[in-house]
Amino acid sequence: MAAQPAGDQARIVVGVDGSDSSKAALAWAVRQAALTGAVVDAVTAWQIPSSYGWVLVEDGLDLEQLAASMLQTAIAEAAGQQPGVAIRPVVVHDNAARALLDTAKGAELLVVGSRGHAGFTEALLGSVGQYCVHHAECPVVIVRSPHAQGADS
């Protein structure tokens, strides 16, 4: 479920998947919110993994709870940097790109990391970020992982 607009308060939506890049994006979004007075909607999306029609989930594994726990940990780390910023967790059972675009409707900014957990390490921009750049209704900020920033300097 997407977060609802916070009245007239500006919103910054940020995608968080637990990767270094997404944590850097969350930290950037929180710093930007401190400057602009916006609220941050930190979004994580989860899906039941499948391969060729087979569901690949261990009995008793609660994917939604794992996603929520990861998000709360990332928020706790980011909140310490700017204690006055409101950060709302948003856990969505959906495709990551679709969840981000839906939540970002009416937002001032959408912030994503340059790459998540999956994909090709040579890629400069992951598939979710690329999709968001092309389809978001608001400006999109791409934040690189601190580890990647020093790699090509």
Side-chain angles (χ1 to χ4, degrees):
M1 168 176 349
Q4 297 302 313
D8 290 335
Q9 189 173 15
R11 288 185 312 121
I12 297 173
V13 174
V14 58
V16 182
D17 66 2
S19 66
D20 288 343
S21 184
S22 75
K23 290 177 183 178
L26 177 58
W28 189 95
V30 170
R31 287 191 305 273
Q32 183 67 17
L35 294 172
T36 62
V39 63
V40 174
D41 288 335
V43 179
T44 192
W46 66 277
Q47 291 182 302
I48 297 172
S50 63
S51 177
Y52 300 104
W54 294 90
V55 176
L56 304 173
V57 177
E58 200 174 300
D59 281 343
L61 186 62
D62 187 342
L63 296 175
E64 183 174 15
Q65 179 56 41
L66 287 172
S69 177
M70 176 279 303
L71 184 58
Q72 286 296 343
T73 300
I75 288 173
E77 291 172 13
Q81 299 169 11
Q82 300 287 340
V85 174
I87 308 171
R88 302 184 301 190
V90 180
V91 179
V92 181
H93 179 199
D94 200 354
N95 166 281
R98 189 170 32 245
L100 288 169
L101 293 178
D102 287 348
T103 306
K105 288 180 181 170
E108 299 296 314
L109 284 174
L110 172 58
V111 183
V112 296
S114 59
R115 280 198 310 266
H117 286 299
F120 300 100
T121 57
E122 302 86 23
L124 295 176
L125 181 60
S127 60
V128 171
Q130 186 140 8
Y131 191 86
C132 289
V133 164
H134 291 288
H135 298 284
E137 296 176 7
C138 64
V140 179
V141 175
I142 306 294
V143 179
R144 295 181 66 197
S145 162
H147 305 295
Q149 290 174 3
D152 48 25
S153 303

